[in-house]
Amino acid sequence: MTIQLHDISHHFGQKPVLTHINLKVADGEIVCILGPSGSGKSTLLRIIAGLEPIQNGVITLNDKLMADAATNPPPESRAIGLVFQDHVLFPHQTVAENISFGLNDVTREEKAIIVAEQLRQVDLSGLANRYPDTLSGGQQQRVALVRALATRPSVMLLDEPFASADTPLRRKLREQARAALKKAGTPTLMVTHDPEEAMDMADRILVIVDGCEVQLGTPESLWHSPQSPFVAQTLGGMQSIEGVVSGGCVETAFGLIPLEDEGTKGAGLTKAISKPSAGLKDRQNVIVCLRGASLGLKASSGPAAISDKRFMGSRYLTLVAADSQQLRVESNQPNELSIGTLVEINFDLAAGFIYSK
């Protein structure tokens, strides 16, 4: 099955919520929809599910109309599996009864086989006769997932499914969910605000900001070639500072950042490059996004000062402040300079991107 969104737009009153969203999700593909709160992620999922009517655009399933502004079948008439953050299990039914709830025209023996297989996939064998209130939150979430998969839906929709779980459990849930979804071969759209979750789960990531598509691509492509400051900061782990283009450099509160040109490109002299389509002009205001591990640091007469130091487990972090802005400098070795020391940043090997402001 392939689900395709054609030019989906939506508004609440006079406020646009989604603007011209196009997306195609193929068999066995997991696409994560990532964006800040209020960006329209959950609204898009609700439109696909039939919980919100389409105002503009078309949804097709295997090139056949599923919904448009004139055709809006209810959720129960769509071959779609839904999993939400709050599980929504039937409290008066056992785990087995929950999972087999939507299995119509199936014998009791076949239901038992399907339930056992689904529970085995998510390490819950032996819990078939338990009730939801006797399960942990993580167990309930796994039951909700396999209940949706048991009916073999044409499309799976997941809305912040692991948000309520603690970090170690969330990682395990992601691994089990991805394995189960891949085995089922179901095209899946998953809403999340967690970049780590998107990188961990997705084959591709659709980034939406203010209802508009910012970038669509594989986790690797978004990490290596972010097309906006939001993508650079959220998925690329970068930080941003403001600056002004001046010749072959960008003037910032932390000093001059050299721009990559044809003479230095690929030579290792600098990796801080401008967005290809930006057409940067002299004295133009820009945003520079940088990777903290690519920055050097040494004591000097300024223009910055160390404001804090932290141990982050796999790296040492030094926070440097200048003119109400801050940079994070990361290293695998501790920085011996004390808080308050005046320093300068070495940008010669800086890795990052420059965007028009």
Side-chain angles (χ1 to χ4, degrees):
M1 286 288 177
T2 298
I3 186 170
Q4 190 160 2
L5 313 182
H6 306 262
D7 203 30
I8 300 294
S9 295
H10 202 79
H11 61 273
F12 293 140
Q14 298 299 313
K15 180 183 179 182
V17 180
L18 294 167
T19 305
H20 305 304
I21 301 297
N22 293 277
L23 178 65
K24 184 176 182 179
V25 187
D27 270 354
E29 185 180 25
I30 300 174
V31 174
C32 280
I33 305 170
L34 178 72
S37 297
S39 60
K41 307 184 300 296
S42 293
T43 299
L44 182 60
L45 223 62
R46 288 175 60 81
I47 290 171
I48 299 168
L51 298 170
E52 194 78 40
I54 292 183
Q55 295 174 350
N56 298 282
V58 176
I59 302 175
T60 59
L61 193 61
N62 268 9
D63 295 324
K64 294 182 179 179
L65 177 67
M66 186 170 81
D68 61 14
T71 306
N72 192 49
E76 61 270 21
S77 298
R78 305 186 187 203
I80 286 178
L82 301 171
V83 180
F84 297 98
Q85 181 180 344
D86 53 2
H87 322 312
V88 198
L89 298 177
F90 302 121
H92 61 286
Q93 293 187 343
T94 65
V95 167
E97 290 169 339
N98 265 279
I99 294 173
S100 61
F101 177 78
L103 298 176
N104 302 317
D105 303 321
V106 176
T107 67
R108 181 179 298 179
E109 292 74 18
E110 289 171 328
K111 284 184 179 181
I113 293 172
I114 293 171
V115 168
E117 171 60 19
Q118 293 295 336
L119 289 175
R120 186 194 63 78
Q121 287 189 66
V122 290
D123 293 339
L124 293 180
S125 296
L127 300 185
N129 295 320
R130 295 267 294 272
Y131 284 87
D133 63 355
T134 70
L135 305 178
S136 69
Q139 289 171 330
Q140 291 183 41
Q141 193 65 322
R142 280 177 277 177
V143 172
L145 173 66
V146 296
R147 181 180 65 177
L149 284 172
T151 59
R152 297 185 178 179
S154 299
V155 181
M156 277 289 292
L157 304 179
L158 311 177
D159 192 357
E160 303 276 8
F162 315 124
S164 59
D166 57 42
T167 300
L169 176 59
R170 194 158 61 241
R171 290 179 181 141
K172 183 177 182 179
L173 290 174
R174 290 199 299 256
E175 291 170 3
Q176 292 178 329
R178 180 174 165 85
L181 290 165
K182 284 296 185 181
K183 183 175 180 180
T186 308
T188 300
L189 289 95
M190 173 177 160
V191 161
T192 182
H193 68 276
D194 183 344
E196 179 183 334
E197 188 162 272
M199 296 287 279
D200 208 16
M201 284 287 294
D203 299 307
R204 289 187 297 153
I205 300 172
L206 171 63
V207 182
I208 296 179
V209 177
D210 294 330
C212 298
E213 176 185 323
V214 172
Q215 193 169 355
L216 171 64
T218 64
E220 184 177 11
S221 68
L222 269 62
W223 195 90
H224 285 294
S225 301
Q227 297 299 303
S228 76
F230 177 83
V231 177
Q233 295 168 35
T234 305
L235 290 168
M238 298 186 189
Q239 57 198 315
S240 64
I241 57 174
E242 298 179 354
V244 178
V245 176
S246 178
C249 299
V250 175
E251 297 176 356
T252 76
F254 296 89
L256 296 176
I257 301 177
L259 288 173
E260 183 179 66
D261 57 28
E262 291 304 316
T264 62
K265 196 170 186 177
L269 298 178
T270 178
K271 298 178 183 178
I273 62 174
S274 64
K275 185 178 177 181
S277 61
L280 298 178
K281 299 177 181 179
D282 203 46
R283 308 314 302 171
Q284 180 177 345
N285 292 324
V286 293
I287 296 174
V288 185
C289 292
L290 298 163
R291 302 194 193 278
S294 70
L295 306 177
L297 190 64
K298 69 176 182 179
S300 73
S301 57
I306 296 176
S307 59
D308 201 358
K309 297 167 63 175
R310 302 172 196 164
F311 174 62
M312 306 297 290
S314 61
R315 66 196 187 283
Y316 293 87
L317 173 66
T318 302
L319 299 179
V320 180
D323 191 25
S324 73
Q325 296 188 76
Q326 184 171 271
L327 271 178
R328 300 164 63 93
V329 180
E330 301 173 11
S331 174
N332 57 6
Q333 298 295 324
N335 184 351
E336 301 301 331
L337 300 176
S338 60
I339 294 174
T341 302
L342 294 177
V343 293
E344 67 179 55
I345 309 292
N346 182 352
F347 291 107
D348 287 345
L349 296 178
F353 298 87
I354 298 174
Y355 305 91
S356 300
K357 187 174 177 181

